[in-house]
Amino acid sequence: MSDNKVILNYDGKNFEYPIVDSTIGDRGIDISKLRDQTGLITLDLGYKNTGATISEITYLDGDKGELFYRGYPIEQIAEKSNFTEVMYLLLHGELPSTEQFSSFENNIKKYNFVADELKKLIDVFPRSAHPMGVLSSLTSALTAFNPKAVDVKSKEELDLAAELMIAKFSHLCAWTYRKTQGLPINHGDNSLNYVENFYKMAFRLPYEEFEIDPVVVEALDKLLILHADHEQNCSTSTVRMVGSAHTGLFASISAGVSALWGPLHGGANQAVIEMLEMIEKDGGDVSKYVAKAKDKEDSFRLMGFGHRVYKNFDPRAKIIKKAADDILGKLGIQDKALDIAMQLERVALEDDYFVERKLYPNVDFYSGIIYRALGIPTEMFTVMFALGRLPGWISQWKEMRLKGDPIGRPRQVYQGAEKRNYVDIASR
Ligand code: CMC
């Protein structure tokens, strides 16, 4: 290897592959000619070493525990910014001026409703349907109400698609919750900001005035900011992969919602609370569950621990842990599940198994605790994650289309049957 290329010696020959530079963090080996030149492909299950694209949106360093949105450290963003500004930053690359901020916010407000016909679709789901399944279907259905494919060469059309999606998606998130509760469907209130508006749409009861609790709104805003983007994670890669076939924005986002639902990804926040409740019901013996998580014969894992990229600590978890302490203090909440979470954190962080494997509490370990303290039902946690991740998905979709990335189409190493002749059913 020299500074700017890697030499592969294979079958008695040398092949050179250029190194692609980064501003910070991992550099990449450009192996686009590898198969043509050598007949070999790379095999990297779970894409642990594979860069799928070149991106300018989010940077994270798993060893240092750093996360930057467009270069700005998450700690500064979480302390000083707000979710609407973060959406703008991710989508447009720079922090907005006062005029840009108002124009962005006003544009979103212009689309602060969803076609009434969509309510009929919601009606066909049983109340017991998981909100993430409903959300994915409704997001897909939005395509029918906004059928025009986005012309990605037009900045106006791209901005419009993003603003439409941001406005409508908050309704769908709120509606999925109201469906599970049998509550009437609400439309938006343009006197409120984005987070307040979502909060009111989701939680307003039909028989009383709704009071916006600033503690809740502040907590929600912070949680949405912390989830807003996380470079090439599973759901974002799904959005990019689907979009790489030039599938529309709404359908690509719907696929992202489904990917996020999984308990190893966004579904972990729900799984954490369910796990804490299970431990509590079982007598609260934390060490029993730590032992189960370590037992290779047992499929149980400590939900909310570990991360594919963060092998030191998850910077979002640090911020959110403090927020969880503040919110529980402000709301005066005593929560048994929280006590168990704190015991679990202590035991696991001192245990060799977790220390050696660098398994630390991740963002979802604490986000569920905050949502629970705010009175948000467990099944809605992943929907809240989706609402937060939306600007990241849109920004990554937009970047992929603007850069003209080719359709995503991985290869495989085939280990199935060799060529053989078909046998008639009577002779088998
Ligand atoms: N509990 C017990 N053991 C674990 C856990 C856990 N939560 N996570 C990883 N391990 C062990 C795993 O068994 C393996 O052990 P060994 O080397 O002996 O085989 C080792 O740690 C490495 O695990 P891995 O599965 O190869 O790691 P990964 O990078 O493929 O998986 C992960 C990352 C997040 C899927 C995994 O840590 C996990 O399942 N965590 C629980 C689910 C969770 O909290 N997910 C939310 C992630 S943060 C939100 C988001 O961004 O989506």
Side-chain angles (χ1 to χ4, degrees):
M1 179 172 145
S2 80
D3 245 8
N4 54 7
K5 64 182 179 239
V6 163
I7 299 169
L8 172 73
N9 182 274
Y10 172 68
D11 210 15
K13 287 185 212 128
N14 279 347
F15 301 94
E16 289 185 0
Y17 298 101
I19 292 188
V20 180
D21 268 332
S22 59
T23 341
I24 29 172
D26 295 337
R27 300 193 297 154
I29 307 169
D30 175 355
I31 52 141
S32 47
K33 297 211 167 76
L34 177 72
R35 186 170 174 274
D36 282 348
Q37 291 178 338
T38 65
L40 293 172
I41 60 167
T42 54
L43 181 64
D44 185 22
L45 300 185
Y47 309 119
K48 292 189 181 190
N49 307 279
T50 297
T53 192
I54 297 173
S55 182
E56 293 164 26
I57 302 174
T58 292
Y59 170 74
L60 70 92
D61 182 323
D63 296 320
K64 291 195 194 143
E66 285 180 336
L67 172 63
F68 305 160
Y69 292 164
R70 300 283 190 183
Y72 297 102
I74 191 66
E75 293 78 7
Q76 291 180 26
I77 296 270
E79 192 194 328
K80 298 183 177 159
S81 189
N82 60 68
F83 186 57
T84 303
E85 185 175 72
V86 168
M87 291 198 279
Y88 184 97
L89 172 67
L90 289 171
L91 282 166
H92 297 289
E94 297 296 334
L95 288 167
S97 64
T98 313
E99 292 77 38
Q100 286 167 328
F101 181 89
S102 320
S103 147
F104 180 62
E105 195 173 42
N106 288 336
N107 285 348
I108 294 170
K109 286 184 177 177
K110 269 195 229 155
Y111 313 116
N112 203 6
F113 66 94
V114 170
D116 251 16
E117 294 100 307
L118 224 87
K119 287 184 185 166
K120 291 188 197 135
L121 271 184
I122 270 232
D123 279 344
V124 301
F125 287 98
R127 256 176 82 172
S128 58
H130 194 288
M132 283 298 276
V134 180
L135 182 62
S136 170
S137 309
L138 292 180
T139 310
S140 214
L142 266 187
T143 314
F145 299 89
N146 302 277
K148 197 169 165 300
V150 182
D151 173 3
V152 295
K153 294 203 185 86
S154 152
K155 180 175 163 10
E156 285 71 37
E157 281 203 24
L158 267 177
D159 287 352
L160 173 69
E163 288 154 4
L164 266 172
M165 185 77 220
I166 287 169
K168 313 280 182 201
F169 195 72
S170 65
H171 288 65
L172 304 187
C173 291
W175 289 7
T176 57
Y177 168 67
R178 297 188 77 80
K179 170 76 195 181
T180 61
Q181 304 299 302
L183 289 167
I185 300 298
N186 286 331
H187 287 287
D189 174 348
N190 272 352
S191 67
L192 303 173
N193 73 29
Y194 187 76
V195 178
E196 291 167 341
N197 181 44
F198 162 76
Y199 173 42
K200 182 174 173 189
M201 270 196 296
F203 301 111
R204 178 174 171 268
L205 294 173
Y207 42 79
E208 59 187 37
E209 279 301 303
F210 188 77
E211 264 186 51
I212 303 275
D213 182 339
V215 175
V216 177
V217 171
E218 198 191 318
L220 288 180
D221 200 86
K222 194 163 281 186
L223 283 163
L224 295 174
I225 289 176
L226 293 177
H227 283 109
D229 195 42
H230 214 228
E231 51 117 304
Q232 307 309 317
N233 58 85
C234 176
S235 56
T236 301
S237 299
T238 302
V239 170
R240 290 185 82 124
M241 174 68 99
V242 174
S244 77
H246 293 194
T247 304
L249 175 66
F250 293 6
S252 305
I253 300 287
S254 160
V257 172
S258 298
L260 187 74
W261 190 1
L264 297 191
H265 189 13
N269 53 16
Q270 173 175 344
V272 167
I273 294 297
E274 287 167 354
M275 173 187 77
L276 296 174
E277 286 171 352
M278 180 175 75
I279 300 176
E280 187 191 333
K281 261 198 207 131
D282 193 25
D285 183 357
V286 164
S287 49
K288 174 177 161 188
Y289 284 88
V290 171
K292 267 167 80 60
K294 287 158 57 177
D295 180 357
K296 293 291 165 201
E297 301 301 308
D298 193 324
S299 61
F300 177 79
R301 281 190 164 196
L302 279 193
M303 299 316 284
F305 276 78
H307 196 276
R308 169 59 62 78
V309 185
Y310 294 122
K311 302 297 177 194
N312 181 340
F313 64 89
D314 179 340
R316 301 167 303 170
K318 251 193 180 174
I319 299 169
I320 217 169
K321 178 175 161 49
K322 188 176 171 307
D325 290 344
D326 288 354
I327 288 153
L328 287 153
K330 271 188 200 159
L331 300 176
I333 287 175
Q334 299 289 331
D335 188 340
K336 270 221 172 111
L338 183 65
D339 291 344
I340 292 182
M342 296 306 122
Q343 282 179 54
L344 204 56
E345 189 193 25
R346 235 185 349 264
V347 175
L349 288 181
E350 284 168 4
D351 190 295
D352 283 350
Y353 174 96
F354 289 87
V355 174
E356 278 160 18
R357 288 169 182 75
K358 301 184 174 172
L359 301 170
Y360 296 89
N362 58 48
V363 67
D364 283 334
F365 187 68
Y366 303 105
S367 66
I369 290 167
I370 300 186
Y371 289 135
R372 186 175 147 109
L374 300 182
I376 296 176
T378 319
E379 281 196 347
M380 268 299 281
F381 292 180
T382 317
V383 172
M384 300 302 301
F385 190 156
L387 185 63
R389 185 54 52 87
L390 181 71
W393 288 334
I394 302 175
S395 309
Q396 301 267 354
W397 184 94
K398 178 177 159 186
E399 180 181 76
M400 186 258 319
R401 289 300 309 275
L402 286 179
K403 282 187 187 243
D405 282 2
I407 185 168
R409 201 323 188 166
R411 296 255 172 194
Q412 64 170 5
V413 174
Y414 175 71
Q415 292 187 342
E418 290 191 26
K419 185 177 178 189
R420 50 185 169 163
N421 288 326
Y422 181 81
V423 180
D424 286 336
I425 195 161
S427 317
R428 282 175 219 160

